[in-house]
Amino acid sequence: MDFSDSPEEAAFRAKASDWLDANATRRDGSEKAQDHFMARDADEVARARDWQSRKADAGWAGLTWPRAFGGRDATPIEQVIWNQEEGRYAVPPNVFLIGIGLVGPTVMIHGTDDQKTTFLPRALTGEDIWCQLFSEPAAGSDLAGIRTRARREGDEWVISGQKVWTSGAHYSTHGILLARTDPQVPKHKGMTMFLVHMSDPAIETRPIRQISGSSSFNEVFIDDLRVPDSARLGGESEGWKVALTTLMNERFSISVGRASGGARAEELIDLATRVERNGRPAFEDGEVRARIADFIARQRGLEFTSYRVMTSLSRGDAPGEEGSIGKLLLGKLRQEMGAFGMELAGTAAGISAKSGDDVARWRNEYLTAPGNRIAGGSDEIQRTIIGERILGLPPEIRIDKDVAFSEL
Amino acid sequence: MDFSDSPEEAAFRAKASDWLDANATRRDGSEKAQDHFMARDADEVARARDWQSRKADAGWAGLTWPRAFGGRDATPIEQVIWNQEEGRYAVPPNVFLIGIGLVGPTVMIHGTDDQKTTFLPRALTGEDIWCQLFSEPAAGSDLAGIRTRARREGDEWVISGQKVWTSGAHYSTHGILLARTDPQVPKHKGMTMFLVHMSDPAIETRPIRQISGSSSFNEVFIDDLRVPDSARLGGESEGWKVALTTLMNERFSISVGRASGGARAEELIDLATRVERNGRPAFEDGEVRARIADFIARQRGLEFTSYRVMTSLSRGDAPGEEGSIGKLLLGKLRQEMGAFGMELAGTAAGISAKSGDDVARWRNEYLTAPGNRIAGGSDEIQRTIIGERILGLPPEIRIDKDVAFSEL
Amino acid sequence: MNFGFSDEQDAIRDTLARMLSDHATLAVVHDCLETAEGFDSATWAALAGGGWLGLAIAEDYGGSAMGAVELAIVAEEIGRSLAAVPFAPVLGLATPAIQDLGTQSQKEKLLPGIAEGRLIVATALAEDGGSAPERVSAKVVQDRLSGRKSPVLFAADASFALVAALDEGGTVRLYLADLSDPSVSINPHDAIDRTRPAAEIVFHGAPVELLPGSDPAAIRTLLDGAAVLAAFEQIGLAERALSLTRDYACERQAFGRQIGSFQAVKHRLADMFAKIELARSNAFFGAWALASGDNRLAEAAAVARLSALDAVQFTTEESVQLHGGIGFTWAADPHLFLRRGWQLKAELGPADLWRERLLCDLANGPAAAN
Amino acid sequence: MNFGFSDEQDAIRDTLARMLSDHATLAVVHDCLETAEGFDSATWAALAGGGWLGLAIAEDYGGSAMGAVELAIVAEEIGRSLAAVPFAPVLGLATPAIQDLGTQSQKEKLLPGIAEGRLIVATALAEDGGSAPERVSAKVVQDRLSGRKSPVLFAADASFALVAALDEGGTVRLYLADLSDPSVSINPHDAIDRTRPAAEIVFHGAPVELLPGSDPAAIRTLLDGAAVLAAFEQIGLAERALSLTRDYACERQAFGRQIGSFQAVKHRLADMFAKIELARSNAFFGAWALASGDNRLAEAAAVARLSALDAVQFTTEESVQLHGGIGFTWAADPHLFLRRGWQLKAELGPADLWRERLLCDLANGPAAAN
C-alpha cells in the first residue's frame, strides 16, 4: 500500500517532465476549461496534430502500445503519470484518444497485416483521427440492437444506417463502424465491424446540441456507403467479438485517462464563504457544511478508487468491472454538486447576472452532469454490470437472445 | 375542498362522542404506547371482548357493514370519525379488525347462507376472534406461491402446511386459510379458501420474535387438520378470487384505520432543543433544522394523503392503489426519523441509559420501522403496483403464469 | 370532510386544459427558448380572452371573483402546459397584493388591465438573488425609490412592478412603480429558463406608490398564498414530466422489451408518482387553508412548497435520465421541465427559506404567524 | 504507486479469516446477544493465542510490531466476523495510546498483558453520549479522577480504562485508571448491540496515571488513527452483510425466479457494493496516511469515516429489507449487522463530528492539523 511513486515511476516521471518542459508551456491557470478530448475548431485540430507528431517523434505517443507497433510498452501507471504531467502543460486536446486507445488495440488483435501496417502508424503520429460509430438511435444501452445494415455486393459492402453520439465525427478522418450483416440470426451473432473513411460523400455528419448548449456529439447518416471487403475488421458475423475488444479498451482508456475536468468539491467551500444563507455566511450553516463535507468524502472516494483500478491494471488484471463503480457514482455526484452550487450561489437559482459568475459555473456543471449519467453506459446499466458480473446475481430474463434479429 | 366536518359528519361525531363519554374513560396521556390491534395477554383479550360486545349492543360495531348483517351502513368517513373519537378514550385494543374488516366482508360476498348466519353475528359481538392464514415462508410477496396443501378425503379436507406472519393467531378462535387444492394447474388457479377453528389440536402456533424484541406475529403449523367441506369459503379452486376480496378489504381497513402510533416528527423539535450538537443546542444547527423540517413536510403529506384516500372512498370509489403511496413512504420515513432521533439523542447512538429515555424511544421507532417496509406488501411490491396499476406500465415478464404449480 | 374537487371545479380544469393544449404546445416553448423575447404573448392573450386572468379579481374590476381553489386549478394547468407566461408573478403575487393591500384608486388603475391581459405587473421582491423580503436594502424616501432588484421576471414585458423596499422607518413595505419612468433601467440576465426572461431593475429615485395594507405580516401572508399556488404550478409541471417519461418508457424498446417493464425504470417512475402525490396532498391542504383563511396557512404553505420542490427536482432530473441519450439533447422536451423547475424555485426561494418559515411557525404557534 | 495489498498481507488476512470462521460464527454472536455477558471471551483468547492482539505492539513488549496496514487487515476481518470482542477499544485506541504516549513503565505494565489477551483496557473518552474529546468534564486533581464516562464498552471485562479528562490547567489529557479500585463503580447500559456491553463508569477520586505524551494534538491523531481502523472494521461488516444478502437473493424464489434477478434487488445490491468500495478506497488512503505518517491523516480519517458510516447504514438497513419478512425477525442474521453498525458509529461518534473535523482540517491546511 503505497501512494507515492516507486523509484522506477519517479524516474519515468522525471523523464516525461523534462521532455515536456523543453517542448511545451506550463499552464498558468488562465486557460479556459475545456473537454480534453474534443477540438473546438479546425485550427485546434491542426495544433493537436502537430503536438501529436512531436510526441510520436520523441516516443511519447501510444505509450502502452507494444514496441513492435511503435509504442513504448509502458505500464498503465506510467500512462497515468504521463497524463498527470502532460496535464500541467498548455497542450491541445487529445483528439487521438479513440484512435490510439480504442481502435489501435482492436486492430492489433483482429486486423490483417495490411490493416496494421496501414492504420497503426498513422494513428500514432496523428495523421488519422478516429471516431467510434457504434451507438444508434434504437441501440444505446442495448448496443447489439443496431440496425445499420451492410449488404455484400460482389467484393464490396454497401452500408446504410444512422449512428449517433459520435464524438468528434466532424473532424475525424476514419471511423470504426459496427453494422448488421445477417438479420436472420440472433442479434449478437449477425454483426460485422468495418473501418471506413469519414470523407466519403455517402457519410453526413450533424452536430447534436446538448442541454448545456454545447455540442460534443454528432449524428452520422450513412447512405449507401461502398467499402471494399478489405475494410472489414475481423471475421464476417464476428462484429460483436470485435466490439467487445474495443469496449474493453474503452474502459481501460477511461480508467487511466485524464479526468475530464469537473468541479472540485472544495470550490463549494470557497463559494459558501462568499454568500449568505438566512442572514449569515452560508459556510456557518450546518446543512451547508454537512453537504459540502459529504461531497468531499465522495469525491475523494472516487479519486482513490481510480488509483485502485490503476493498481489492478498495473498488476496485469484486465480492465474489469470495477470501473463501473466510479462511472456509476460520478454523474450523480456532479449533478448534486451542480444543483447545490447553483442554489447556494443565489436564491434566484439558475439566474446568472454575467457569464462566468458562480451561478453560470455551477449551472454548467449541473447541465453537463446528466451526460455523465448516460454516456458510456447509463447508471442503470452500470448497476446491472455490478450486480451480474461482480456480485454474480442471476441475469435478467432475456427474451431476445435466441430469436433472429429480423423477428424481434 | 373542505377540511372540516360536513353538518352530517359533525352530527355523527357528536353522537359517537356522547356514547363514548357515557361508556368509556378519556385517555389522560399516561397510557403506554401500544399496537392498537394486538392484545398483550388473556386479560386484555377478555376486556376487548367485553368492550366489543357493548359496542355491538349499542350499534357501534361493524359500522360500515350493511344493516342486513347487523351493521350501520356507515360511510368510510364516518368510520374514520369513529376511529378518531374512540382514539381519545382508554379502550382495549381492537383485536376484531381482521374479523370485521376482512373476513366479514369476504363471507358476505363468497359465503353460504349458513356461513353468514354462523360467523357474521359472532364476529360483530366479539365472540369470535379471527386471524388471516395467508402468507407462508415461501410465499410472501408472491402470495400465490403458497404450498399449504388441502386434499379432499370423502366429505372432508385434510390440510397440512405452514403459515407465517399471522397476527394474533395465539388468541384467535378462527382463521381464514388459503390452501392449494390442485397443484396440477398454474399457481393462481389451484387454490381454495377455508374457515378453520384455531382450537383444533392439529394447529400449533408459535410467536415470532422481531428485531424490536416484541412478538406481534406467529408461525402457524398445520398438521393433517380435518375440516368438513362446509368449511370451504367460495368455490373449489376459486381461492385466489376469494383472497383478492379479502385483500381489497384489507386495503380499505388500513385506509380508514387508526394510524398505529409511531412518532410525530415534531417530537424531534423537542428533542433537538434539549440536546447539543457541536457544542450548541442541536436545534440551532442548520442540518438538524433541515432534516426535521423535511420530516414534518413528509409526515404532513402522508396525513393529508390519507384524507384524499378517504374522500375517494366516500365518493364510492373502490379502495384503490392510491393507498400504495402512503404504504410506500411511511416505513422509510419512520426508519429515517428513528435513525435521526437515535443519533440526535446521543453520539453514543443506540445506547440507552434507562428504559424510556430518548434513545430507547427512537431506537424502538427505528427497529419497528423495517416491519412497515415489509408487512402488507414490501416497498418493492408497492412500487410495482404503482407502476403497473396506476401508471399503466408494462408488466414484468412472468415465467410462472402458465405452468402447473407442480412444475415450478 | 372533502379533500377533492367538485364537478364544477373539474369542468373549469378541463376547459382551461383544452385551451392551453391548443395554444401552449411544447413546440411553442422550444421556440420561446430560442428567441430573445421568451414571453409567449399569444397564450397570454388567449388566457385573457378566456377570462382566466381575472379569475380572482373582484367583479367591480372586471374579474369573476372565483376562489383560491379555482386559482389553484389554473396554476396546476399552467404548470402542466409549461406556457411561457407570467402567471406566478401576476396572478400569484401582484393581483392579490393590489386587491388585498392596495387603495381603491390603485385597484381601479391596475386590476382591469391585468384582467384584460394588457397590463403586466412584475414582482420585484428579491435583491441580489435572495428573495426573502426580510433582506431588502432598496429604500423609499419621500415617495422615491432607489435600489437594485434582481431577478425580476418578465421585466421587459411589464408596465408596472410590485417592489419590496424599506420605508423611511426601515420597515419593509410594498410599492408600485411605473417602469416607463426614465429613472428606471432594466438589465437582462441569463436565466436557466429563458422562457421566463429575467432581469435586474435599477431604480434611481423612481416615483412609487405605497400599498397601504402592506405591513410585514401581510407580506408574509401574501408570500404564503403565492407559495401554495406555486406548489400547484410545480405539481402540474412535475406530473407532465412524469407522464412524458411514462409514455417514453412504454414506447422505447431495449433488449427486446419496453423499457418500462424493467424495474429500474418502473420503480423510479413509481417514486416520482409518490413524491408528486405527497406534494399534491400538502398543496390541497394549502389551498383549503388559503380559501378558508385558516390560521395554519403558514405551515400549509411551507410543507406544500417543500414537498413540491422535492417532487419537481426529482421528477425532472430523473425524466432526463430515463430518456437516455435523447434526454440530454436540446431538441428533446425533458430539459424544458428541468429548466422551468429551477425557475419556479427561483421565484419564491429555495427550500432552506421555507424550512425556516415552517419551523418558526411551529415554534411560535400558528396564531403568531398571521 | 501501489494501492493494494501485498501477497504477504493477503496471506495474513487468509490466516486470520480461517481462525475467525472457526471461532466467531454468527451462531456465537446470536448467543452473545442473549446472554448478559455479551463478550466472546473464547474468540478473544484465540486471537491472543494466534498473536493477533500483539500485532502492533513492539517486540520488547511481547508483540510482533507489524504496521498499520496489517492492523487494518485485522480490523476488516474482525468486522467481517462480527466477533463480539473489544478490538476497536483495545487495539484501535488503548494500545497506540499507551505505546505512543505512555511511559516506559506504563508500557511494561500493560502492553504484554494486552498482547497475551489477559488484560483488557477499555476506553472511556465519551461523556453523556458525546465522544468529542473537546467536550469533557471529568477532571483530575492531584492524580485523582472524578467524573462520569459513558458509554464505555466492555467495561465489566476490563482491568484498566484509558480516560479522557481535564488536567488541573483545564487541558484534555489521557489517563490510565485501574478499574478494580473501590472508588470506581460501573452501571450497565442497555445498548442496541448487546454483544458489545456498554456501561457508565463513575470515578469518585480514583487514582490515575497520566500518559505524558497525550497533548490535545496527539489525542486527535490517536482518534484519527482509530477512525481509519474502524473504517476497515465497518467495511468488513458491510461487506459481510452484502454477501449474506447477495446469497439470500440467489436462493430466495418469488414469482418463479430468484429474487436477485429482479432489478429492484439487483440494483440495490449494486448500490451497496458501490458504497462499500468507495469507503474502501478512502480507507486505503487512510491506512497509507497512518502507515506513512503523512500529514493528510486527518483528512483521510475523516473521509474514510464518513463514507464508511454511509456504507454501513445503507447496507445493513437494506440487508434487513431485502431479506423480506425474515429480515426483521430476531432469529435471522441481518439485525446483528444493523446493531453492530450502530455500535461502531457510537464508538467514535457520528458523521457530524467527522464532517467538522474534515472541514476544519481543510480550512486550516493539513499541516496545522497534526
Side-chain angles (χ1 to χ4, degrees):
Chain A
M1 183 88 48
D2 195 349
F3 201 63
S4 329
D5 285 343
S6 69
E8 297 75 26
E9 289 161 1
F12 179 87
R13 191 185 294 277
K15 221 161 156 183
S17 164
D18 285 349
W19 186 82
L20 283 161
D21 252 346
N23 289 276
T25 318
R26 282 235 168 204
R27 297 169 68 87
D28 61 6
S30 67
E31 297 80 9
K32 260 187 96 165
Q34 139 167 52
D35 190 316
H36 294 305
F37 307 111
M38 292 284 306
R40 279 167 301 194
D41 51 37
D43 180 55
E44 209 165 51
V45 173
R47 288 192 295 113
R49 275 209 169 97
D50 177 56
W51 175 240
Q52 182 68 17
S53 90
R54 283 159 66 203
K55 279 161 68 177
D57 286 349
W60 296 107
L63 286 183
T64 58
W65 283 21
R67 289 188 192 276
F69 295 119
R72 200 185 179 101
D73 235 342
T75 68
I77 302 283
E78 286 171 340
Q79 177 74 59
V80 171
I81 291 172
W82 170 267
N83 292 343
Q84 289 171 341
E85 293 303 316
E86 192 186 26
R88 301 183 213 279
Y89 294 82
V91 297
N94 180 10
V95 298
F96 311 99
L97 185 79
I98 292 172
I100 294 180
L102 281 60
V103 179
T106 309
V107 168
M108 287 176 211
I109 291 176
H110 301 284
T112 60
D113 285 345
D114 252 16
Q115 287 168 332
K116 292 179 198 168
T117 324
T118 310
F119 295 117
L120 295 180
R122 289 187 346 216
L124 220 50
T125 58
E127 196 177 338
D128 293 349
I129 303 179
W130 286 83
C131 64
Q132 184 183 9
L133 298 163
F134 282 18
S135 294
E136 297 186 6
S141 293
D142 181 15
L143 180 59
I146 57 154
R147 296 174 184 178
T148 292
R149 278 281 280 127
R151 280 175 293 109
R152 191 144 198 166
E153 284 193 9
D155 201 34
E156 281 189 333
W157 293 89
V158 184
I159 307 176
S160 288
Q162 185 193 340
K163 296 290 179 179
V164 75
W165 317 125
T166 318
S167 303
H170 53 299
Y171 54 68
S172 290
T173 58
H174 293 72
I176 181 167
L177 181 147
L178 187 63
R180 185 162 307 279
T181 43
D182 183 358
Q184 305 312 322
V185 295
K187 60 201 282 192
H188 290 84
K189 299 190 175 157
M191 292 174 281
T192 304
M193 192 72 83
F194 298 93
L195 303 172
V196 304
H197 286 269
M198 295 301 288
S199 57
D200 193 298
I203 298 182
E204 189 198 344
T205 293
R206 286 186 214 152
I208 299 173
R209 190 172 177 198
Q210 292 145 241
I211 61 177
S212 64
S214 64
S215 300
S216 346
F217 302 108
N218 296 277
E219 293 179 292
V220 177
F221 298 87
I222 304 141
D223 185 14
D224 279 349
L225 169 69
R226 288 178 174 270
V227 298
D229 189 49
S230 61
R232 174 168 48 74
L233 179 63
E236 235 184 286
S237 289
E238 300 206 332
W240 188 245
K241 199 175 85 184
V242 180
L244 290 180
T245 303
T246 313
L247 295 172
M248 190 177 82
N249 279 285
E250 184 176 22
R251 279 207 293 274
F252 177 85
S253 290
I254 292 170
S255 300
V256 301
R258 213 191 308 172
S260 72
R264 300 280 304 166
E266 284 96 323
E267 293 176 50
L268 289 166
I269 297 182
D270 169 60
L271 174 61
T273 55
R274 289 187 282 107
V275 300
E276 289 202 345
R277 188 167 194 178
N278 293 319
R280 291 196 325 225
F283 197 52
E284 289 177 14
D285 180 272
E287 196 218 353
V288 171
R289 294 178 75 82
R291 297 209 57 194
I292 293 176
D294 287 342
F295 288 142
I296 293 172
R298 287 158 69 189
Q299 202 171 57
R300 290 285 191 283
L302 286 174
E303 183 188 339
F304 300 140
T305 298
S306 75
Y307 295 141
R308 286 174 55 204
V309 172
M310 284 173 226
T311 296
S312 91
L313 289 177
S314 73
R315 290 177 175 189
D317 301 342
E321 287 78 15
E322 292 80 8
S324 290
I325 302 158
K327 174 80 184 66
L328 171 61
L329 300 175
L330 175 67
K332 195 75 176 63
L333 173 63
R334 286 192 65 207
Q335 191 172 28
E336 286 179 39
M337 278 175 34
F340 181 76
M342 247 207 293
E343 199 164 300
L344 200 59
T347 298
I351 298 180
S352 154
K354 54 180 192 301
S355 120
D357 66 5
D358 290 321
V359 170
R361 194 243 185 293
W362 291 103
R363 189 173 69 193
N364 187 58
E365 198 70 13
Y366 181 68
L367 292 176
T368 51
N372 289 135
R373 292 184 61 192
I374 289 290
S378 69
D379 287 2
E380 292 72 23
I381 292 290
Q382 303 306 325
R383 289 194 183 95
T384 294
I385 290 174
I386 293 172
E388 297 181 5
R389 297 198 211 153
I390 302 184
L391 299 175
L393 291 163
E396 269 297 320
I397 289 169
R398 288 290 293 268
I399 56 178
D400 61 340
K401 278 218 142 168
D402 303 316
V403 184
F405 183 77
S406 57
E407 306 291 316
L408 284 175
Chain B
M1 182 87 48
D2 195 350
F3 202 63
S4 329
D5 284 343
S6 70
E8 297 75 25
E9 290 162 1
F12 179 88
R13 190 186 295 277
K15 221 161 156 185
S17 164
D18 285 349
W19 186 83
L20 283 161
D21 252 346
N23 289 277
T25 318
R26 282 234 169 207
R27 297 169 68 86
D28 63 4
S30 67
E31 296 79 9
K32 259 188 97 165
Q34 137 168 52
D35 189 316
H36 294 303
F37 307 112
M38 289 286 306
R40 280 168 300 194
D41 51 37
D43 180 55
E44 209 164 50
V45 172
R47 289 192 295 113
R49 276 211 169 97
D50 176 57
W51 175 238
Q52 183 67 17
S53 89
R54 283 159 66 201
K55 279 162 67 177
D57 286 348
W60 296 108
L63 287 183
T64 58
W65 282 21
R67 290 189 192 276
F69 295 119
R72 200 186 180 102
D73 235 343
T75 67
I77 301 284
E78 286 171 341
Q79 177 71 60
V80 171
I81 291 172
W82 171 266
N83 292 343
Q84 289 172 342
E85 293 303 314
E86 193 186 26
R88 300 183 213 282
Y89 293 81
V91 297
N94 179 9
V95 297
F96 311 99
L97 185 80
I98 292 172
I100 294 181
L102 280 60
V103 178
T106 310
V107 168
M108 288 176 210
I109 292 177
H110 301 283
T112 62
D113 286 343
D114 252 16
Q115 287 169 332
K116 291 179 198 168
T117 325
T118 310
F119 293 118
L120 295 180
R122 289 186 348 216
L124 221 49
T125 59
E127 196 177 339
D128 292 350
I129 303 179
W130 287 83
C131 64
Q132 184 183 10
L133 298 162
F134 281 20
S135 294
E136 297 187 5
S141 293
D142 180 16
L143 179 59
I146 56 154
R147 296 176 186 179
T148 291
R149 278 282 279 126
R151 278 176 294 111
R152 189 143 199 168
E153 283 193 9
D155 202 35
E156 282 189 332
W157 293 89
V158 184
I159 308 177
S160 287
Q162 185 192 341
K163 296 291 178 179
V164 76
W165 315 126
T166 317
S167 303
H170 52 300
Y171 54 69
S172 291
T173 58
H174 293 72
I176 180 167
L177 181 148
L178 187 64
R180 184 161 309 278
T181 43
D182 184 357
Q184 305 312 322
V185 295
K187 59 201 280 192
H188 289 84
K189 299 191 173 154
M191 290 174 281
T192 304
M193 192 72 83
F194 297 93
L195 303 172
V196 305
H197 286 268
M198 295 300 288
S199 57
D200 194 299
I203 297 182
E204 189 197 344
T205 294
R206 285 186 214 152
I208 300 173
R209 189 170 177 199
Q210 293 145 239
I211 61 177
S212 63
S214 65
S215 300
S216 343
F217 303 109
N218 296 277
E219 293 179 293
V220 176
F221 298 87
I222 304 141
D223 184 14
D224 279 350
L225 169 69
R226 288 179 174 270
V227 299
D229 189 48
S230 62
R232 175 168 47 76
L233 179 64
E236 235 184 285
S237 289
E238 300 204 335
W240 187 245
K241 199 174 86 185
V242 181
L244 290 180
T245 303
T246 314
L247 295 172
M248 191 177 82
N249 280 284
E250 183 176 21
R251 278 209 292 275
F252 177 86
S253 291
I254 291 169
S255 300
V256 301
R258 215 190 307 171
S260 72
R264 301 276 307 164
E266 285 96 323
E267 293 177 51
L268 289 167
I269 296 183
D270 169 60
L271 175 60
T273 55
R274 287 187 284 107
V275 300
E276 289 202 343
R277 189 169 193 176
N278 292 318
R280 290 197 325 226
F283 198 51
E284 289 177 14
D285 180 272
E287 197 219 353
V288 171
R289 295 178 75 82
R291 296 210 58 197
I292 294 177
D294 287 343
F295 288 142
I296 293 173
R298 286 159 68 188
Q299 201 171 58
R300 290 285 192 282
L302 286 175
E303 183 188 339
F304 301 141
T305 298
S306 74
Y307 296 143
R308 286 174 56 203
V309 172
M310 285 174 227
T311 296
S312 91
L313 289 178
S314 72
R315 290 176 175 189
D317 300 342
E321 287 78 15
E322 294 78 9
S324 290
I325 302 158
K327 174 81 184 69
L328 170 60
L329 300 174
L330 174 67
K332 194 75 177 65
L333 173 63
R334 285 192 67 207
Q335 191 172 29
E336 286 180 39
M337 277 174 37
F340 181 75
M342 247 207 292
E343 199 164 300
L344 200 58
T347 298
I351 297 179
S352 155
K354 55 181 190 298
S355 123
D357 66 5
D358 291 321
V359 170
R361 196 246 184 290
W362 292 102
R363 190 174 67 192
N364 186 58
E365 199 70 14
Y366 181 70
L367 291 176
T368 50
N372 289 137
R373 292 185 62 192
I374 289 291
S378 68
D379 288 2
E380 292 72 24
I381 292 290
Q382 304 306 325
R383 288 195 183 94
T384 294
I385 289 174
I386 293 173
E388 297 181 5
R389 297 197 211 153
I390 302 184
L391 299 176
L393 292 163
E396 269 296 319
I397 289 170
R398 287 291 293 267
I399 56 177
D400 61 341
K401 277 219 143 168
D402 302 316
V403 184
F405 183 78
S406 58
E407 305 291 316
L408 285 174
Chain C
M1 202 209 55
N2 174 7
F3 225 48
F5 296 109
S6 68
D7 290 347
E8 294 72 28
Q9 289 167 338
D10 286 342
I12 289 176
R13 179 192 302 280
D14 292 345
T15 310
L16 177 58
R18 261 197 310 277
M19 193 281 269
L20 285 167
S21 68
D22 287 346
H23 286 84
T25 62
L26 293 184
V28 172
V29 183
H30 272 292
D31 286 348
C32 289
L33 194 62
E34 298 291 355
T35 64
E37 198 191 341
F39 177 39
D40 175 6
S41 49
T43 297
W44 192 246
L47 282 165
W52 298 102
L53 302 185
L55 202 72
I57 291 176
E59 292 177 3
D60 288 353
Y61 306 108
S64 53
M66 304 280 255
V69 176
E70 286 73 19
L71 203 58
I73 292 170
V74 175
E76 186 176 337
E77 293 310 310
I78 295 272
R80 194 188 315 278
S81 76
L82 227 65
V85 296
F87 170 81
V90 176
L91 275 80
L93 282 166
T95 299
I98 295 163
Q99 183 151 275
D100 300 345
L101 313 175
T103 64
Q104 175 92 17
S105 85
Q106 286 165 342
K107 294 184 209 181
E108 282 166 6
K109 185 167 80 178
L110 298 173
L111 293 179
I114 290 176
E116 291 162 27
R118 56 182 168 77
L119 219 166
I120 289 176
V121 180
T123 48
L125 307 179
E127 294 180 10
D128 201 20
S131 80
E134 293 81 5
R135 263 170 295 135
V136 155
S137 65
K139 219 173 148 44
V140 173
V141 178
Q142 293 183 328
D143 299 327
R144 297 274 167 175
L145 167 67
S146 295
R148 297 166 170 273
K149 304 302 288 190
S150 161
V152 183
L153 303 185
F154 297 98
D157 308 292
S159 316
F160 290 85
L162 176 76
V163 188
L166 302 171
D167 66 13
E168 294 181 39
T171 302
V172 179
R173 310 293 298 271
L174 297 179
Y175 298 87
L176 287 165
D178 185 336
L179 296 179
S180 62
D181 193 88
S183 65
V184 176
S185 56
I186 296 176
N187 309 318
H189 279 344
D190 170 27
I192 190 170
D193 179 11
R194 281 183 269 166
T195 68
R196 298 206 155 184
E200 176 189 55
I201 307 189
V202 188
F203 299 95
H204 304 278
V208 291
E209 278 185 34
L210 175 71
L211 291 183
S214 63
D215 57 77
I219 296 176
R220 283 291 353 166
T221 301
L222 181 72
L223 290 173
D224 288 339
V228 170
L229 294 180
F232 279 94
E233 193 172 354
Q234 290 166 309
I235 287 163
L237 173 138
E239 203 169 47
R240 177 89 173 275
L242 166 59
S243 132
L244 208 78
T245 314
R246 178 243 167 242
D247 291 350
Y248 184 77
C250 287
E251 172 199 315
R252 174 78 181 179
Q253 304 261 340
F255 306 104
R257 299 159 55 173
Q258 294 154 287
I259 63 169
S261 71
F262 288 102
Q263 287 186 335
V265 175
K266 183 181 293 174
H267 287 191
R268 191 110 26 104
L269 289 165
D271 284 336
M272 290 181 189
F273 181 79
K275 279 177 185 286
I276 291 169
E277 292 307 310
L278 198 80
R280 188 191 303 282
S281 300
N282 279 331
F284 274 19
F285 186 62
W288 171 78
L290 188 59
S292 67
D294 191 84
N295 68 2
R296 287 177 72 187
L297 175 62
E299 174 194 332
V303 297
R305 180 145 185 96
L306 288 173
S307 49
L309 284 169
D310 181 48
V312 166
Q313 185 158 350
F314 181 77
T315 305
T316 56
E317 288 178 356
E318 295 307 316
S319 167
V320 170
Q321 176 68 13
L322 293 182
H323 275 78
I326 293 293
F328 67 97
T329 63
W330 188 274
D333 295 329
H335 75 117
L336 303 178
F337 294 83
L338 189 75
R339 291 174 193 279
R340 180 62 57 82
W342 278 88
Q343 195 65 68
L344 292 178
K345 181 191 305 221
E347 283 172 8
L348 289 164
D352 60 288
L353 292 179
W354 292 92
R355 291 187 189 121
E356 288 306 316
R357 175 86 176 129
L358 175 64
L359 295 177
C360 293
D361 178 68
L362 290 176
N364 300 331
N370 275 302
Chain D
M1 205 210 54
N2 175 6
F3 225 47
F5 295 108
S6 68
D7 290 346
E8 294 72 28
Q9 289 166 337
D10 286 342
I12 288 177
R13 179 192 303 280
D14 291 345
T15 309
L16 177 57
R18 261 196 310 277
M19 192 280 268
L20 285 167
S21 67
D22 288 346
H23 286 83
T25 63
L26 293 183
V28 171
V29 183
H30 273 292
D31 286 348
C32 289
L33 195 62
E34 299 290 356
T35 62
E37 196 190 344
F39 176 40
D40 175 5
S41 50
T43 297
W44 191 247
L47 283 165
W52 298 103
L53 303 185
L55 202 72
I57 292 175
E59 291 178 4
D60 287 353
Y61 305 108
S64 52
M66 303 280 255
V69 176
E70 287 73 19
L71 203 57
I73 291 170
V74 175
E76 185 176 337
E77 293 310 311
I78 295 271
R80 192 188 316 277
S81 76
L82 227 64
V85 295
F87 170 81
V90 177
L91 275 79
L93 282 166
T95 300
I98 296 163
Q99 183 150 276
D100 300 345
L101 314 174
T103 63
Q104 174 93 17
S105 85
Q106 287 165 342
K107 295 184 210 182
E108 282 167 5
K109 185 167 79 179
L110 298 172
L111 293 179
I114 290 176
E116 291 161 27
R118 54 182 169 75
L119 220 166
I120 289 176
V121 181
T123 48
L125 307 180
E127 292 180 12
D128 201 20
S131 79
E134 293 81 2
R135 264 170 296 135
V136 156
S137 65
K139 217 171 151 42
V140 174
V141 178
Q142 293 183 328
D143 299 328
R144 296 273 166 177
L145 167 66
S146 294
R148 297 167 171 273
K149 305 301 288 189
S150 161
V152 182
L153 303 185
F154 298 97
D157 308 293
S159 317
F160 291 86
L162 177 75
V163 188
L166 302 171
D167 66 13
E168 294 180 38
T171 302
V172 179
R173 309 294 298 272
L174 298 178
Y175 297 87
L176 287 166
D178 185 336
L179 296 179
S180 64
D181 193 87
S183 64
V184 175
S185 55
I186 296 177
N187 310 318
H189 279 343
D190 171 26
I192 190 170
D193 180 10
R194 281 182 269 164
T195 68
R196 298 207 155 185
E200 177 190 54
I201 306 188
V202 187
F203 297 95
H204 304 277
V208 292
E209 278 184 35
L210 175 70
L211 291 183
S214 63
D215 57 77
I219 296 175
R220 284 288 357 164
T221 301
L222 181 71
L223 290 172
D224 288 339
V228 170
L229 294 179
F232 279 93
E233 193 172 354
Q234 291 167 308
I235 287 163
L237 172 138
E239 202 169 50
R240 178 90 174 274
L242 165 59
S243 134
L244 206 78
T245 314
R246 178 243 166 242
D247 291 350
Y248 184 76
C250 288
E251 172 198 315
R252 173 79 181 177
Q253 303 260 341
F255 306 104
R257 298 158 56 173
Q258 294 153 287
I259 63 169
S261 71
F262 288 102
Q263 287 186 336
V265 175
K266 183 181 294 175
H267 287 191
R268 192 110 25 103
L269 289 165
D271 284 337
M272 292 181 187
F273 181 79
K275 280 178 185 285
I276 292 169
E277 292 306 311
L278 197 80
R280 187 191 305 280
S281 300
N282 278 332
F284 274 19
F285 185 62
W288 171 78
L290 188 60
S292 66
D294 191 84
N295 67 2
R296 287 177 72 188
L297 174 62
E299 172 194 332
V303 298
R305 180 142 186 100
L306 288 174
S307 49
L309 284 169
D310 181 48
V312 166
Q313 185 158 350
F314 181 78
T315 305
T316 56
E317 288 179 357
E318 296 306 315
S319 168
V320 169
Q321 175 69 14
L322 293 182
H323 275 78
I326 293 292
F328 67 98
T329 63
W330 188 274
D333 295 328
H335 75 119
L336 303 179
F337 294 84
L338 189 76
R339 291 174 192 279
R340 180 62 57 84
W342 279 87
Q343 195 65 68
L344 292 178
K345 180 192 304 222
E347 283 171 7
L348 290 163
D352 60 289
L353 292 178
W354 292 92
R355 292 186 187 121
E356 289 305 317
R357 176 84 175 130
L358 175 64
L359 295 176
C360 293
D361 178 68
L362 290 176
N364 301 331
N370 275 302

